[in-house]
Amino acid sequence: MNFMESFNTAVEGIWANKMRSILTMLGIIIGITSVIVVTALGEGGQKAINEEMEKFGQNTFNVFINWETKEEIAAEDMTVEDTEVLGRISPAIQYIVPSNSSTIDLKGPKKEERVNLTASTADYFSMQSTLKVAKGRLFNEVDDKEQRAVIVLEEALAQKLFGQMSPIGQRVRWGNQSLVVIGTYTEEKFKFDMATSYGAIIPIRYEMSLQEEPSVQMIMGKAIDKASVDPAMQQVKQYLSRKHQKEDHYRVRSMQESMDQFNQMTGTLTLIFSIIAGISLVVGGVGVMNIMLVSVTERTREIGIRKALGARRRDILIQFLIESVIVCLIGGLIGVLFGLGIASIIAYFAQLPPLMSWNSVFIAFGFSSAIGIFFGLYPANKAAKLDPIEALRYE
């Protein structure tokens, strides 16, 4: 018996027991669907977040105090002057600014809002490519150096504080401080940021003048290109360590490092969930083996007749093995279609990019074939070993 005859016989056997075959495929379908959904969403989500992180922080790095340092932490460990010097001496750095952040209550004529306040220099606006002027102007170097009490509001915040009034030239209150609104801005938000708070920006020298011990929380830098990120980070760390006479006192972290750490974490989680989903494939494989054993028992006389007519052991083995593989492959195909459909629906509502993981599709079909061979081998071998005389006597 050639391969095509074995294939046709296997298909006839599956078609003759349609309901049983569908129930046999169910475990494979569920398993493959689970694996496809998990891997597609894992890869798609990872790609989407990486694209967002690159857009918002390409070639950027942050410098902050290493809180595990053995050196004494002082307010002057990082200064505004440090950023000015670094901007002049390092050819690898495009922008470098000090940055302080806090959450404050900001009061306008209409209402009071909880606001994320950022204090920095005028170069901060050049670093933030997603920030655009809506009305008025942004503060400049003169505003910063003269410690002017000016503020730039996020446009949505200005509407909350002032309603239909024009905010330009108006004042807002922050505790005992009164600040003049000189402009508003719009900012493209990080797509996966669930925070709904508003933002405002003030000159850092004015903000530091209000502190009992003026200090800089963090330094933000941007290299001229991707290749210059590591040299820029190294130059910043060396300068600060030498200037302040403190070794191992500063940490420098690039956006690329954060992305690598995120990718490693999501890759591990995707693998774990895929393994858990893959367990259902093993359960489905056990179901295939069970049904194939039932099929062998039901067709014992048929096997005996075929052997009496000259069918070899290999012919019987291949016939039942093909039947097992076909069941698993059909189940795998349906599982892939279901998996991609479910993943696409989830991606649509989660605002992720279109998901099509060819790796997961190939893995799914590979698993389907492997399960068909592995779990179909024992029933097929059992059928092939049947004694033709005993099989013909079987009722």
Side-chain angles (χ1 to χ4, degrees):
M1 177 181 281
N2 60 34
F3 177 81
M4 285 307 300
E5 288 177 342
S6 297
F7 180 84
N8 292 333
T9 305
V11 170
E12 288 172 5
I14 294 170
W15 189 253
N17 298 279
K18 291 185 284 292
M19 182 56 69
R20 189 171 69 185
S21 299
I22 291 170
L23 293 175
T24 306
M25 294 173 191
L26 198 56
I28 304 297
I29 293 170
I30 293 171
I32 295 295
T33 300
S34 303
V35 171
I36 293 289
V37 170
V38 168
T39 54
L41 288 178
E43 290 180 13
Q46 187 180 75
K47 180 181 177 183
I49 292 175
N50 282 340
E51 288 175 353
E52 285 290 297
M53 291 173 77
E54 284 183 2
K55 182 168 64 176
F56 283 85
Q58 196 171 24
N59 305 334
T60 62
F61 58 89
N62 295 326
V63 188
F64 45 92
I65 302 297
N66 179 9
W67 295 105
E68 297 178 356
T69 180
K70 295 179 181 178
E71 302 275 0
E72 183 179 351
I73 297 174
E76 62 273 8
D77 284 342
M78 291 189 293
T79 66
V80 177
E81 289 70 28
D82 287 335
T83 62
E84 292 176 339
V85 173
L86 283 164
R88 289 196 303 268
I89 67 174
S90 176
I93 295 174
Q94 184 179 15
Y95 299 109
I96 186 162
V97 299
S99 176
N100 286 344
S101 300
S102 57
T103 304
I104 65 166
D105 292 316
L106 204 60
K107 189 174 182 180
K110 296 294 182 181
K111 64 185 301 188
E112 188 174 6
E113 285 287 342
R114 196 75 171 157
V115 177
N116 290 331
L117 182 69
T118 299
S120 189
T121 60
D123 278 345
Y124 176 83
F125 302 110
S126 300
M127 277 190 64
Q128 305 300 318
S129 58
T130 58
L131 189 150
K132 306 295 180 186
V133 181
K135 295 176 184 175
R137 67 177 180 89
L138 306 173
F139 64 78
N140 54 36
E141 190 176 345
V142 175
D143 294 321
D144 182 35
K145 288 188 174 179
E146 294 187 0
Q147 299 180 15
R148 293 176 180 171
V150 295
I151 189 168
V152 183
L153 304 177
E154 186 177 348
E155 190 172 37
L157 172 63
Q159 291 173 358
K160 290 282 186 181
L161 297 180
F162 292 94
Q164 298 302 314
M165 294 171 54
S166 172
I168 309 303
Q170 302 293 327
R171 289 184 175 271
V172 291
R173 296 198 65 82
W174 165 27
N176 296 325
Q177 305 302 315
S178 177
L179 300 96
V180 178
V181 179
I182 60 172
T184 62
Y185 67 91
T186 58
E187 186 175 16
E188 185 179 349
K189 300 289 186 179
F190 185 69
K191 187 184 293 184
F192 303 97
D193 187 1
M194 304 306 292
T196 56
S197 54
Y198 303 108
I201 309 167
I202 62 173
I204 194 167
R205 285 184 172 88
Y206 167 72
E207 189 261 353
M208 290 176 69
S209 70
L210 305 177
Q211 300 179 25
E212 291 183 10
E213 289 187 274
S215 63
V216 173
Q217 298 171 356
M218 182 174 69
I219 290 175
M220 301 169 63
K222 183 174 184 179
I224 56 174
D225 54 37
K226 194 171 184 179
S228 301
V229 173
D230 287 339
M233 290 167 58
Q234 193 65 27
Q235 288 165 9
V236 170
K237 189 172 182 180
Q238 287 176 351
Y239 171 82
L240 292 173
S241 298
R242 186 174 64 252
K243 164 81 181 298
H244 300 282
Q245 296 294 305
K246 293 181 177 181
E247 295 295 328
D248 196 32
H249 192 67
Y250 301 96
R251 290 192 63 189
V252 187
R253 188 178 185 86
S254 68
M255 180 61 75
Q256 187 61 50
E257 288 180 67
S258 300
M259 288 171 61
D260 291 342
Q261 188 176 32
F262 169 78
N263 289 338
Q264 184 178 8
M265 180 186 68
T266 53
T268 301
L269 288 174
T270 300
L271 178 62
I272 291 171
F273 287 130
S274 295
I275 291 172
I276 293 171
I279 292 173
S280 60
L281 281 175
V282 178
V283 175
V286 173
V288 170
M289 183 168 65
N290 184 46
I291 294 300
M292 291 305 298
L293 285 171
V294 171
S295 181
V296 169
T297 302
E298 287 181 345
R299 295 159 66 183
T300 301
R301 283 184 61 83
E302 175 195 327
I303 294 168
I305 292 170
R306 291 188 61 205
K307 279 198 165 188
L309 293 174
R312 293 168 296 176
R313 176 181 171 182
R314 187 182 67 180
D315 297 329
I316 305 297
L317 180 71
I318 290 174
Q319 176 193 337
F320 281 91
L321 202 55
I322 289 174
E323 188 171 328
S324 173
V325 171
I326 290 173
V327 168
C328 291
L329 284 178
I330 294 173
L333 176 61
I334 296 171
V336 166
L337 296 176
F338 279 1
L340 292 176
I342 293 171
S344 298
I345 293 169
I346 295 173
Y348 175 78
F349 287 105
Q351 295 185 336
L352 293 174
L355 304 171
M356 183 59 178
S357 174
W358 287 109
N359 288 338
S360 59
V361 172
F362 292 139
I363 290 170
F365 274 110
F367 260 83
S368 299
S369 302
I371 287 169
I373 294 170
F374 182 79
F375 288 99
L377 195 57
Y378 175 71
N381 192 49
K382 182 179 178 182
K385 284 183 175 179
L386 284 175
D387 181 85
I389 298 173
E390 293 298 324
L392 285 169
R393 288 177 178 172
Y394 185 81
E395 293 294 338

